C-alpha cells in the first residue's frame, strides 16, 4: 500500500449533486486520501491530479440526465484535463455527464422497467488497464450498490462492436459467481454493460456506487478497490 | 361588502357563525377579504388543531432526553456527545389521493423542510402508507403514483428512505393515507427555532417564487371529500426537489454562521402561518411588504400571496446588519432571497401592498384565541357487536402449509421490496440494516452510537378498539426498536381519523389519544412532535382510525445493533413472553376468513417494558444473533420472516409442537396474535447465559427449536422449502397489485 | 390516418423542467428568452379512417391517459395520411 495522501483528488459539486459528501468521506475516512470539493461555477481544478464526478441529480436532471451539467464552467476544465490524459471517474450521474460531454461513448437511457432501482449488485472487471481498475484482477467480481433511474446503457450496434473490440467495457453486471447473463441485468443495459472507458483508458464511468461499498458494516467494502487502484 | 355578503364569504371560507362572531369581536370592525382569508386558514383544523388540541394536551411530552417537545417545526432528542436527533411525521393524505405523484412528493418535501429548518441535516425518511383493497380499480394507480412520488423527491434530495409500512384495507378505498417522516441529525448547540425576535430585524423570504399553487390547500385538508373534490384539482402543488436540495444546502451553510434569529418552513397556509407562528412564539409583531415577495405569475393579489402553498419556500429573521451576508449565501446557490419586512414590538401583523396597508391584525388574539372545541364523543353502536366472533361459522383448513403460503404472499404480509427498491435507501452511507427488518438501523459517522427508526400502527386493531389499538402502536414500535438493539427515545405521531364532527369519530380520537398517552407514560416514551389529519372520509365512510407512531431509538454502540434474520444453522430458537395468541382481530381472520372482528389482544405493558430491557441487554452482551417481534400473522409468519430475511443464506427452522387434533387451536398457535412475544436465536454456547438473563429479569422464555438449512419445519403441521416460500413472499406484492 | 396529441402544463403550474432548460440556455449565453415551458407530443397512427371514431379515441386517450387534468391541458389534431 502506497502513501494515499500524495495524490489530491477533486470532487466536482454541481447543484443537485448528492453523492459528493459520500465520496469525500469514503476517500478521506476509509482510504485516508486527500480530497477537495470543486464548485461548478469555478474554472480552477486547484492542481488536482484526479477528478471524480459524483452521483446525484445535477440541475435536477430535469431535461436529460447530465445534459445541463456538462455546460457548467468547471466542465470545460475537466474536459481539457481529460484530453491531456488526466484520470477522471464518473459515478452514476457523473457517468451520465461524461457521456453527455462525449468524453465517453454511449448514452444512459431510462431503466427498462422505467423505475428507479436501488439494490446490491455484482459487476465483473473486464479491463484492468484503467487508473481505477489497475489493481483489480480481470474477471474478478465486486459487490456494490446501484441507485438510478437512468442506467440503461445504449450505443449504436456498430459502436457497440467497436467498444467491445477495443476493450472499452470496464464493468459488466454479473451474478455472485461472476457469470454475466441477461438474468443479472438490472436495467436493460446492452451486453450488461455497467461501465466503460475512453480509448485512452484515462476516463472511466460506471453506474454502480463504489463510494457506498467501502465498509463491511454497510454490506460491502469491495468498491474500495477502485480508489486503491487510483491511489496505489 | 354588505354584512350579509361578508357572512356568506366567511362561510365559504369554512368559518362557522360562532367563529365569524369571534373575528368581529377581536377586530372590533369588519375584516376585509384578505383578513378573512388569513383567519380562515389560521383557524382551519389543519393549522389550529381546534378539535384535537384538548386531547393532545394530555400526552406526555417530557423526559430528560427531550430538547424540544411539540410546538416547533420538529421535536428534538438528545443522543449524547453534543448531538441530537430532530424528527417529525406529517400527513399528506388528501393531496395524495387527488394527485398521487405530486401529493406524495410534496409531502416528503414538506416534512424534510420541517426538519432542516431546525438546523438538522436530514439523514433518513420513512413513510407509512394505507391504501384501499388491492383489487379496487384505483389502488394500483395510487400505489404506483405515491411510491414514485416519494422516490422522486427523496432520491433527488439524496436522503435515504429506509423504512415504513404499507397496509391495504377497503376502509381506505376513498381516502388513502400518506404519512411521511424525516429524521435529522443536529449539533445540540446549533438548533434553530421559528422565532421572530429583535425589533428592526429583517424578515427574509427565500426559495421558490410564489405561485397560485395550493390556495385553500389547508382548508381542503379539513374538508370531507365528495364527488366535486376531483374538480378542486387546480390547487394541487408541484414539487421541485432540485430547488429544495439547493435550499437545504444553502440553509445549512447559513446556519454555520451567526446571522440568523429564527427560521420557519412555509408549509400549509404558507406565508400566513409561518409569519404568524414566528411572531406569536416571540410575542413580537411583523410588518411585511407583500409587493416584494417574488412572484411566479402575473396579477397576483395580496390574498393569493398570503394563502399560496407554493413549495420549497422558507421565512427567516436575520440579525440586523447581516442581510447582505444572508442574501449572498442564497445567491451562491442560485436561490431567490428577498427582505420582505421587519420585526416590530407591538404584537401586530401589518401587511402592505404597493405602499398601502392592506391588513392589520393582532397576532396574539388570532393565534391564542383560535377556537378550541370539546366535541361530543359517543361510543359507536357496533363496537361491542364487532368484538363478537362467531367462530362456529368459520371454516378452518387443516392444510396449514397452504394457509401459510396464502398469508406470506398476501398484500399485507408479502415482501415490500417492490416499494423500497424504488427508494434510494443507501445514500449517505449510513444504512446498516436495510428496509425489511423490524426497524432500520443507521450508524452516525464519527459517533460510536447509532439509531434505529420505525413506524407502526395496526389500523384494524385501532378500528376494533382505538384505546388498545393505539397502545399496540406504541408497544410495537418500541419492541421493533428493542429488536434492533435500540432503546426508544421518543415518538412522533400522525393521527389520521374521519370527520371529528361525528361523535363516533371523536370518540375514536379521544380513546386513541388516551391509549397512546397511557402506553407512553408506562413505557416512558414522550411524544415530541406530531400532526393530526381529520376528515379522512368519503360520502360518510371513514377510514380505520390510524394513529401512526414514528419512533427513534438509541443504540449505544453501533457494533451491537440487532436484526431480524437468522444468522447460522444450529442456533437455538427461543420464544420470549407467554401472552396467549388469539385469532380475534388478526390478519389471518381478515385475509383468510375475510372478517374484521374480535377484540384486539390485551396488552401487558409492564411485561413489554421488561422484554424491551431484556433485548437491550441481550444485544449489548451479544448473547443473541437475531430477534423479531411476533405481530401480524402470528408465530408462523414471524418464523418465516426470520428465515426469509437471511436471503442468500436460505436458512430455515425446525420447531416441534405437541400433537393436537383441534384444527382451530392449531390455527391459533400458528397464526394467532398476541403482544408482547419475541423470537430470538442464539449460538448453542450462549443458551444457558440467555436463559439465566431471562430468569433474572422475570421473562418467560421457551425453547422452540433450532435454525436449520433450507426448510421451515413446524412439526407436525408444516414443512416447506424456504426457497418456495421466498418466491411467494417476494412476488406477492406485485402480483396482487397487477391482478385485476 | 395519423394524429397528434400535444399535452402542456396549465399556465401557472410550476414547471421545474422548463426552468432547468431555460437556465441551460442562459448558461450557453443565449439572451432574450423570457420563458421556456415543456410539453409532450404524441404521434399516433390509427387503423380507422372514420373521423368521428378517431375523435372519440383521441378524446378518451387524452383525458384518460396522456394528460393529467390536475395540471395539464391537451389538444389534438388529425393529420391526413
Amino acid at each position: 500500500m502506497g502513501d494515499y495522501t500524495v495524490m489530491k483528488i477533486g470532487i466536482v459539486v454541481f447543484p443537485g449533486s448528492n453523492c459528493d459528501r459520500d465520496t469525500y468521506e469514503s476517500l478521506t475516512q476509509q482510504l485516508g486520501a486527500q480530497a477537495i470539493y470543486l464548485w461548478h461555477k469555478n474554472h480552477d481544478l486547484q492542481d488536482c491530479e484526479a477528478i471524480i464526478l459524483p452521483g446525484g441529480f445535477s440541475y435536477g436532471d430535469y431535461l436529460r440526465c447530465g445534459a445541463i451539467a456538462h455546460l457548467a464552467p468547471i466542465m470545460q476544465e475537466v474536459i481539457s484535463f481529460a484530453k491531456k490524459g488526466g484520470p477522471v471517474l464518473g459515478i452514476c450521474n457523473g457517468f451520465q455527464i461524461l457521456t453527455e460531454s462525449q468524453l465517453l461513448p454511449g448514452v444512459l437511457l431510462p431503466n427498462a422497467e422505467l423505475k428507479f432501482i436501488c439494490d446490491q449488485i455484482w459487476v465483473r472487471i473486464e479491463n484492468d488497464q484503467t487508473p481505477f481498475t489497475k489493481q483489480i484482477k480481470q474477471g474478478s467480481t465486486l459487490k456494490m450498490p446501484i441507485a438510478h433511474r437512468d442506467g440503461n446503457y445504449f450505443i449504436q450496434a456498430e459502436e457497440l462492436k467497436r467498444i467491445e473490440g477495443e476493450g472499452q467495457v470496464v464493468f459488466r453486471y454479473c451474478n455472485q459467481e461472476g457469470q454475466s447473463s441477461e438474468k443479472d441485468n438490472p436495467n436493460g443495459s446492452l451486453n450488461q454493460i455497467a461501465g466503460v472507458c475512453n480509448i485512452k483508458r484515462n476516463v472511466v464511468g460506471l453506474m454502480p456506487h463504489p463510494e457506498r461499498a467501502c465498509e463491511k458494516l454497510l454490506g460491502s467494502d469491495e468498491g474500495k478497490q477502485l480508489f486503491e487502484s487510483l491511489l496505489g | 361588502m354588505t354584512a350579509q355578503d361578508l357572512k356568506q364569504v366567511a362561510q365559504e371560507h369554512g368559518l362557522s357563525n360562532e367563529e365569524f362572531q369571534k373575528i368581529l369581536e377581536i377586530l372590533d370592525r369588519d375584516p376585509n377579504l384578505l383578513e378573512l382569508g388569513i383567519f380562515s386558514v389560521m383557524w382551519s383544523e389543519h393549522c389550529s388543531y381546534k378539535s384535537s388540541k384538548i386531547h393532545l394536551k394530555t400526552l406526555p411530552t417530557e423526559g430528560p432526553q427531550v430538547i424540544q417537545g411539540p410546538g416547533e417545526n420538529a421535536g428534538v432528542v438528545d443522543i449524547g456527545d453534543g448531538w441530537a436527533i430532530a424528527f417529525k411525521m406529517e400527513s399528506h393524505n388528501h393531496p395524495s389521493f387527488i394527485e398521487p405523484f405530486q401529493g406524495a412528493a410534496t409531502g416528503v418535501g414538506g416534512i424534510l423542510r420541517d426538519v432542516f429548518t431546525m438546523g438538522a441535516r436530514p439523514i433518513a425518511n420513512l413513510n407509512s402508507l394505507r391504501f384501499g383493497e388491492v383489487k379496487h380499480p384505483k389502488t394500483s394507480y395510487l400505489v404506483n403514483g405515491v411510491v414514485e412520488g416519494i422516490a422522486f423527491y427523496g432520491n433527488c434530495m439524496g436522503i435515504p428512505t429506509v423504512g415504513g409500512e404499507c397496509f391495504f384495507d377497503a376502509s381506505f378505498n376513498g381516502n388513502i393515507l400518506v404519512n411521511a417522516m424525516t429524521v435529522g441529525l443536529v449539533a445540540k448547540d446549533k438548533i434553530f427555532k421559528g422565532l421572530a425576535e429583535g425589533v428592526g430585524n429583517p424578515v427574509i423570504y427565500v426559495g421558490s417564487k410564489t405561485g397560485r399553487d395550493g390556495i385553500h390547500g389547508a382548508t381542503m385538508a379539513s374538508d370531507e371529500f365528495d364527488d366535486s373534490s376531483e374538480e378542486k384539482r387546480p390547487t394541487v402543488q408541484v414539487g421541485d426537489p432540485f430547488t429544495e436540495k439547493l435550499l437545504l444546502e444553502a440553509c445549512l451553510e447559513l446556519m454555520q454562521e451567526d446571522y440568523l434569529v429564527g427560521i420557519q418552513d412555509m408549509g400549509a397556509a404558507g406565508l400566513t402561518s409561518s409569519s404568524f407562528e414566528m411572531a406569536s412564539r416571540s410575542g413580537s409583531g411583523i410588518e411585511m411588504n407583500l409587493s416584494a415577495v417574488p412572484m411566479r405569475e402575473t396579477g397576483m393579489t395580496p390574498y393569493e400571496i398570503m394563502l399560496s402553498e407554493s413549495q420549497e419556500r422558507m421565512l427567516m429573521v436575520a440579525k440586523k446588519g447581516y442581510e447582505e451576508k444572508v442574501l449572498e449565501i442564497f445567491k451562491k446557490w442560485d436561490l431567490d432571497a428577498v427582505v420582505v419586512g421587519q420585526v416590530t414590538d407591538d404584537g401586530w401583523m401589518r401587511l402592505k401592498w404597493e405602499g398601502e396597508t392592506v391588513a392589520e391584525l393582532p397576532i396574539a388574539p388570532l393565534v391564542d384565541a383560535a377556537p378550541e372545541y370539546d366535541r361530543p364523543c359517543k361510543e359507536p353502536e357496533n363496537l361491542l357487536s364487532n368484538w363478537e366472533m362467531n367462530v362456529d361459522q368459520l371454516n378452518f383448513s387443516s392444510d396449514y402449509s397452504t394457509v401459510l403460503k396464502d398469508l406470506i404472499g398476501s398484500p399485507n404480509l408479502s415482501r415490500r421490496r417492490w416499494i423500497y427498491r424504488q427508494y434510494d435507501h443507501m445514500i449517505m452511507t449510513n444504512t446498516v440494516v436495510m428496509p425489511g427488518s423490524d426497524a432500520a438501523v443507521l450508524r452516525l459517522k464519527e459517533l460510536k452510537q447509532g439509531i434505529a427508526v420505525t413506524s407502526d400502527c395496526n389500523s384494524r386493531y385501532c378500528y376494533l378498539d382505538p384505546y388498545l389499538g393505539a397502545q399496540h402502536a406504541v408497544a410495537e414500535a418500541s419492541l421493533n426498536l428493542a429488536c434492533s438493539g435500540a432503546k426508544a427515545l421518543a415518538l412522533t405521531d400522525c393521527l389520521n381519523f374521519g370527520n371529528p364532527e361525528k361523535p363516533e369519530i371523536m370518540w375514536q380520537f379521544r380513546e386513541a389519544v388516551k391509549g397512546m398517552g397511557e402506553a407512553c407514560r408506562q413505557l416512558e416514551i414522550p411524544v415530541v412532535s406530531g400532526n393530526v389529519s381529520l376528515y379522512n372520509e368519503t360520502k360518510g365512510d371513514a377510514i380505520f382510525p390510524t394513529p401512526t407512531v414514528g419512533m427513534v431509538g438509541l443504540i449505544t454502540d453501533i457494533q451491537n445493533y440487532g436484526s431480524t434474520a437468522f444468522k447460522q444453522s444450529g442456533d437455538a430458537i427461543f420464544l420470549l413472553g407467554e401472552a396467549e395468541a388469539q385469532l380475534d382481530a388478526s390478519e389471518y381472520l381478515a385475509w383468510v376468513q375475510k372478517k374484521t372482528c374480535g377484540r384486539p389482544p390485551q396488552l401487558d405493558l409492564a411485561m413489554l417494558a421488561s422484554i424491551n430491557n431484556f433485548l437491550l441487554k441481550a444485544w449489548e452482551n451479544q448473547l443473541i444473533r437475531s430477534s423479531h417481534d411476533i405481530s401480524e400473522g402470528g408465530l408462523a409468519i414471524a418464523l418465516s420472516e426470520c428465515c426469509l430475511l437471511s436471503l442468500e443464506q436460505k436458512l430455515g427452522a425446525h420447531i416441534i409442537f405437541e400433537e393436537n387434533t383441534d384444527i382451530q387451536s392449531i390455527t391459533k398457535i400458528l397464526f394467532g396474535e398476541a403482544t408482547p412475544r419475541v423470537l430470538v436465536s442464539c449460538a448453542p454456547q450462549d443458551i444457558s447465559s440467555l436463559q439465566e438473563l431471562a430468569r433474572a429479569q422475570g421473562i418467560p422464555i421457551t425453547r422452540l427449536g433450532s435454525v436449520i438449512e433450507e426448510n421451515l419445519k413446524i412439526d407436525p403441521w408444516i414443512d416447506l422449502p424456504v426457497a418456495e416460500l421466498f418466491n411467494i413472499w417476494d412476488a406477492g406484492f406485485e402480483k396482487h397489485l397487477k391482478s385485476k | 390516418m395519423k394524429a397528434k396529441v400535444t399535452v402542456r402544463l396549465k399556465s401557472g403550474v410550476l414547471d421545474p423542467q422548463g426552468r432547468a432548460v431555460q437556465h441551460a440556455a442562459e448558461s450557453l449565453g443565449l439572451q432574450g428568452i423570457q420563458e421556456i415551458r415543456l410539453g409532450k407530443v404524441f404521434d399516433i397512427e390509427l387503423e380507422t379512417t372514420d373521423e368521428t371514431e378517431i375523435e372519440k379515441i383521441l378524446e378518451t386517450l387524452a383525458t384518460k391517459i396522456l394528460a393529467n387534468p390536475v395540471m395539464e391541458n391537451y389538444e389534438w389534431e388529425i393529420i391526413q395520411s
Side-chain angles (χ1 to χ4, degrees):
Chain A
M1 203 168 100
D3 180 0
Y4 285 175
T5 60
V6 174
M7 180 186 277
K8 187 157 99 177
I9 304 171
I11 301 165
V12 178
V13 181
F14 298 102
S17 290
N18 62 22
C19 300
D20 44 339
R21 286 158 53 91
D22 295 353
T23 308
Y24 178 87
E25 282 161 3
S26 290
L27 282 172
T28 55
Q29 287 163 24
Q30 301 307 320
L31 287 120
Q34 190 195 351
I36 60 162
Y37 293 117
L38 299 172
W39 186 239
H40 66 108
K41 287 183 189 171
N42 294 340
H43 275 281
D44 186 0
L45 295 186
Q46 298 181 46
D47 299 322
C48 285
E49 293 155 274
I51 302 293
I52 297 181
L53 306 185
F57 290 75
S58 52
Y59 300 90
D61 278 348
Y62 286 144
L63 181 56
R64 278 185 323 279
C65 297
I68 298 177
H70 97 268
L71 299 171
I74 194 89
M75 279 310 291
Q76 294 173 23
E77 313 309 320
V78 173
I79 290 168
S80 62
F81 176 80
K83 292 204 164 138
K84 280 183 226 150
V88 177
L89 179 68
I91 302 168
C92 197
N93 192 226
F95 183 17
Q96 294 159 346
I97 296 168
L98 289 174
T99 59
E100 282 284 339
S101 308
Q102 297 184 350
L103 285 173
L104 289 176
V107 64
L108 283 312
L109 299 178
N111 295 342
E113 57 182 293
L114 297 177
K115 287 191 185 327
F116 190 98
I117 302 173
C118 177
D119 216 339
Q120 290 278 5
I121 53 89
W122 280 266
V123 291
R124 190 173 71 203
I125 303 300
E126 304 287 85
N127 180 331
D128 57 6
Q129 300 298 309
T130 81
F132 303 96
T133 54
K134 63 179 188 247
Q135 288 191 3
I136 316 173
K137 226 175 94 198
Q138 193 167 331
S140 60
T141 62
L142 303 181
K143 183 186 181 189
M144 290 189 276
I146 51 166
H148 57 251
R149 199 183 176 283
D150 301 77
N152 180 356
Y153 188 81
F154 178 80
I155 192 166
Q156 301 290 343
E158 269 172 42
E159 279 288 286
L160 177 65
K161 226 168 113 187
R162 194 187 58 73
I163 64 164
E164 289 277 9
E166 296 278 351
Q168 282 179 258
V169 175
V170 185
F171 306 94
R172 218 184 289 277
Y173 298 110
C174 64
N175 65 12
Q176 210 172 339
E177 284 76 42
Q179 290 137 347
S180 182
S181 73
E182 203 40 48
K183 217 170 69 239
D184 311 298
N185 190 344
N187 52 27
S189 293
L190 284 177
N191 291 11
Q192 291 86 248
I193 291 173
V196 299
C197 65
N198 60 351
I199 293 204
K200 281 159 73 181
R201 312 281 193 254
N202 63 311
V203 181
V204 175
L206 79 166
M207 288 316 294
H209 287 272
E211 83 283 6
R212 297 188 192 181
C214 291
E215 282 170 273
K216 283 228 165 73
L217 181 67
L218 304 178
S220 169
D221 63 354
E222 294 170 7
K224 242 171 135 172
Q225 296 176 38
L226 271 77
F227 304 121
E228 285 166 347
S229 291
L230 175 69
L231 293 159
Chain B
M1 253 187 290
T2 68
Q4 198 50 41
D5 288 346
L6 195 59
K7 226 169 162 178
Q8 173 79 26
V9 175
Q11 216 167 43
E12 282 163 10
H13 277 75
L15 290 159
S16 72
N17 197 27
E18 188 191 334
E19 287 165 356
F20 180 64
Q21 291 308 322
K22 210 162 171 181
I23 292 171
L24 297 180
E25 245 169 67
I26 289 172
L27 292 182
D28 203 18
R29 63 172 166 83
D30 283 349
N32 61 33
L33 180 65
L34 168 60
E35 291 168 335
L36 202 61
I38 289 173
F39 269 103
S40 82
V41 290
M42 286 302 290
W43 287 5
S44 71
E45 192 64 60
H46 197 84
C47 292
S48 72
Y49 293 92
K50 58 190 170 192
S51 303
S52 56
K53 222 182 325 184
I54 193 164
H55 302 291
L56 298 177
K57 282 179 192 162
T58 65
L59 292 170
T61 59
E62 286 169 5
Q65 72 277 37
V66 177
I67 295 174
Q68 177 66 57
E72 261 294 337
N73 287 307
V76 185
V77 288
D78 198 338
I79 55 162
D81 296 326
W83 289 90
I85 294 288
F87 67 105
K88 192 184 181 187
M89 187 184 283
E90 211 166 62
S91 61
H92 226 214
N93 304 335
H94 299 77
S96 301
F97 186 76
I98 290 179
E99 213 308 293
F101 180 91
Q102 293 296 349
T106 51
V108 173
I111 194 65
L112 280 166
R113 284 195 301 283
D114 275 333
V115 167
F116 73 76
T117 45
M118 301 294 294
R121 181 174 280 279
I123 55 169
N125 283 329
L126 292 93
N127 50 74
S128 173
L129 312 175
R130 300 288 183 280
F131 297 100
E133 297 164 285
V134 271
K135 58 173 193 283
H136 187 274
K138 273 195 100 163
T139 298
S140 173
Y141 158 76
L142 290 167
V143 173
N144 270 291
V146 165
V147 171
E148 264 179 50
I150 291 169
F152 166 69
Y153 214 102
N155 296 353
C156 184
M157 286 289 290
I159 317 295
T161 302
V162 298
E165 14 151 30
C166 177
F167 175 86
F168 299 91
D169 184 273
S171 83
F172 300 99
N173 280 352
N175 295 78
I176 61 171
L177 300 185
V178 175
N179 295 175
M181 171 173 165
T182 293
V183 179
L185 181 65
V186 58
K188 259 173 83 175
D189 57 356
K190 288 275 184 201
I191 297 171
F192 285 83
K193 294 183 184 176
L195 300 176
E197 283 169 0
V199 178
N201 277 339
V203 175
I204 301 176
Y205 169 113
V206 302
S208 291
K209 291 180 168 53
T210 297
R212 291 190 174 93
D213 323 60
I215 291 176
H216 291 147
T219 40
M220 174 175 94
S222 311
D223 269 340
E224 214 179 292
F225 275 3
D226 54 41
D227 285 333
S228 68
S229 296
E230 305 230 350
E231 297 309 312
K232 290 186 182 173
R233 282 178 161 190
T235 60
V236 168
Q237 315 97 307
V238 171
D240 179 2
F242 169 59
T243 297
E244 178 135 316
K245 167 72 174 159
L246 302 184
L247 198 55
L248 163 72
E249 297 301 337
C251 285
L252 292 182
E253 189 174 319
L254 174 64
M255 286 162 169
Q256 292 305 310
E257 309 294 341
D258 200 21
Y259 308 151
L260 270 191
V261 173
I263 172 166
Q264 174 135 347
D265 159 43
M266 286 192 228
L271 196 49
T272 295
S273 69
S274 54
S275 56
F276 274 89
E277 282 174 18
M278 287 176 86
S280 155
R281 285 195 198 103
S282 304
S284 61
I286 287 180
E287 188 178 291
M288 271 197 297
N289 172 19
L290 298 179
S291 310
V293 169
M295 283 168 260
R296 201 176 72 225
E297 298 173 55
T298 51
M300 287 189 70
T301 63
Y303 176 90
E304 289 168 330
I305 292 167
M306 284 306 283
L307 268 56
S308 162
E309 294 195 348
S310 287
Q311 300 287 299
E312 294 92 22
R313 303 179 301 159
M314 297 272 198
L315 197 65
M316 46 182 74
V317 172
K319 290 181 182 164
K320 198 175 176 166
Y322 290 95
E323 296 85 339
E324 287 311 313
K325 299 258 186 205
V326 172
L327 300 189
E328 209 172 285
I329 289 177
F330 288 102
K331 196 170 168 219
K332 173 187 162 188
W333 290 95
D334 296 324
L335 290 165
D336 277 317
V338 185
V339 175
V340 292
Q342 56 174 339
V343 177
T344 62
D345 62 354
D346 63 0
W348 283 73
M349 179 70 62
R350 276 190 199 83
L351 304 176
K352 305 224 160 160
W353 177 253
E354 293 169 353
E356 306 268 310
T357 300
V358 287
E360 203 163 8
L361 297 164
I363 291 162
L366 202 151
V367 176
D368 303 338
E372 183 174 326
Y373 298 127
D374 186 1
R375 296 195 189 273
C377 296
K378 184 169 161 269
E379 188 179 290
E381 269 165 20
N382 60 0
L383 184 77
L384 296 178
S385 60
N386 276 343
W387 289 355
E388 279 165 26
M389 284 241 307
N390 295 320
V391 175
D392 306 337
Q393 292 168 13
L394 302 178
N395 276 321
F396 288 94
S397 162
S398 61
D399 182 358
Y400 308 108
S401 293
T402 302
V403 176
L404 174 59
K405 287 194 275 187
D406 185 20
L407 272 170
I408 201 85
S410 70
N412 285 338
L413 295 176
S414 55
R415 193 182 194 195
R416 267 56 186 139
R417 183 165 176 259
W418 182 89
I419 298 179
Y420 61 73
R421 212 164 92 106
Q422 298 186 52
Y423 302 151
D424 193 336
H425 48 268
M426 297 189 251
I427 195 164
M428 293 188 95
T429 57
N430 292 323
T431 316
V432 175
V433 174
M434 311 277 167
S437 204
D438 277 342
V441 173
L442 302 169
R443 61 93 174 264
L444 305 166
K445 283 170 197 153
E446 293 163 55
L447 282 179
K448 191 180 169 201
Q449 47 275 58
I451 58 167
V453 289
T454 184
S455 76
D456 288 286
C457 182
N458 184 322
S459 303
R460 188 182 306 113
Y461 281 11
C462 293
Y463 167 69
L464 291 167
D465 187 335
Y467 178 84
L468 207 46
Q471 292 203 330
H472 272 281
V474 178
E476 196 187 334
S478 76
L479 205 47
N480 282 340
L481 296 184
C483 284
S484 307
K487 182 179 169 24
L489 290 174
L491 68 81
T492 178
D493 57 28
C494 195
L495 308 172
N496 310 274
F497 289 78
N499 180 351
E501 292 158 44
K502 294 182 183 164
E504 289 82 3
I505 301 288
M506 207 54 223
W507 178 86
Q508 289 179 335
F509 186 85
R510 187 189 73 192
E511 291 300 301
V513 172
K514 231 197 262 177
M516 181 178 281
E518 186 53 30
C520 288
R521 270 183 292 272
Q522 284 210 40
L523 299 172
E524 296 180 349
I525 304 169
V527 178
V528 294
S529 58
N531 164 245
V532 177
S533 169
L534 300 173
Y535 297 94
N536 291 289
E537 58 180 88
T538 298
K539 295 179 195 160
D541 288 333
I543 57 160
F544 279 176
T546 305
T548 311
V549 168
M551 208 180 276
V552 175
L554 181 68
I555 304 170
T556 44
D557 180 350
I558 187 66
Q559 300 301 329
N560 296 330
Y561 73 90
S563 62
T564 302
F566 288 142
K567 301 295 182 310
Q568 201 161 324
S569 175
D571 284 355
I573 301 170
F574 287 93
L575 172 70
L576 307 177
E578 56 186 3
E580 200 193 331
Q582 57 169 57
L583 291 174
D584 313 57
S586 67
E587 189 63 39
Y588 166 86
L589 210 60
W591 178 250
V592 179
Q593 305 280 3
K594 309 292 177 214
K595 290 229 177 316
T596 296
C597 61
R599 193 174 188 187
Q602 291 298 318
L603 184 54
D604 180 347
L605 287 167
M607 176 53 73
L608 183 109
S610 304
I611 290 183
N612 282 348
N613 280 330
F614 171 86
L615 286 166
L616 292 182
K617 285 213 172 66
W619 279 115
E620 264 167 36
N621 296 312
Q622 309 211 345
L623 281 179
I624 49 177
R625 285 192 168 144
S626 75
S627 58
H628 184 30
D629 79 307
I630 300 177
S631 56
E632 290 93 338
L635 177 71
I637 291 294
L639 262 178
S640 305
E641 287 165 346
C642 293
C643 301
L644 295 167
L645 283 163
S646 73
L647 304 176
E648 296 107 9
Q649 276 184 284
K650 295 198 180 76
L651 290 172
H654 189 195
I655 309 292
I656 301 167
F657 283 101
E658 278 171 37
E659 278 292 350
N660 189 330
T661 49
D662 181 30
I663 298 178
Q664 194 188 320
S665 68
I666 296 168
T667 304
K668 205 184 277 186
I669 291 171
L670 292 171
F671 307 110
E673 298 175 12
T675 311
R677 294 189 303 162
V678 177
L679 287 173
V680 298
S681 69
C682 75
Q685 67 268 24
D686 292 325
I687 291 176
S688 53
S689 322
L690 188 71
Q691 287 171 319
E692 190 69 23
L693 181 65
R695 252 191 301 275
Q697 308 253 324
I699 311 284
I701 183 166
T702 318
R703 174 81 191 256
L704 290 184
S706 302
V707 179
I708 59 169
E709 313 254 345
E710 286 179 22
N711 275 42
L712 174 64
K713 289 192 209 176
I714 305 178
D715 276 343
W717 308 309
I718 290 175
D719 186 356
L720 282 167
V722 172
E724 185 186 344
L725 267 185
F726 188 94
N727 291 338
I728 297 167
W729 175 64
D730 191 41
F733 190 86
E734 207 177 342
K735 194 189 91 189
H736 285 292
L737 211 55
K738 283 186 175 164
S739 71
K740 283 277 171 249
Chain C
M1 291 285 265
K2 287 183 178 173
K4 186 169 89 177
V5 179
T6 309
V7 177
R8 289 190 180 86
L9 279 176
K10 285 182 179 168
S11 65
V13 174
L14 177 68
D15 180 11
Q17 287 185 294
R19 220 177 46 195
V21 177
Q22 192 176 344
H23 181 96
E26 282 158 11
S27 65
L28 272 181
L30 297 175
Q31 284 172 0
I33 298 172
Q34 198 182 352
E35 195 185 13
I36 297 182
R37 290 175 75 78
L38 249 69
K40 295 177 195 142
V41 175
F42 301 86
D43 290 318
I44 298 150
E45 289 200 37
L46 297 131
E47 283 173 2
T48 170
T49 51
D50 179 303
E51 293 225 359
T52 340
E53 200 184 329
I54 291 176
E55 279 176 21
K56 222 174 95 191
I57 292 174
L58 293 179
E59 191 62 27
T60 314
L61 191 64
T63 51
K64 298 283 179 202
I65 307 173
L66 304 183
N68 181 345
V70 177
M71 49 195 180
E72 290 167 325
N73 290 326
Y74 63 90
E75 54 194 50
W76 47 262
E77 58 179 305
I78 298 169
I79 303 161
Q80 305 292 340
S81 54

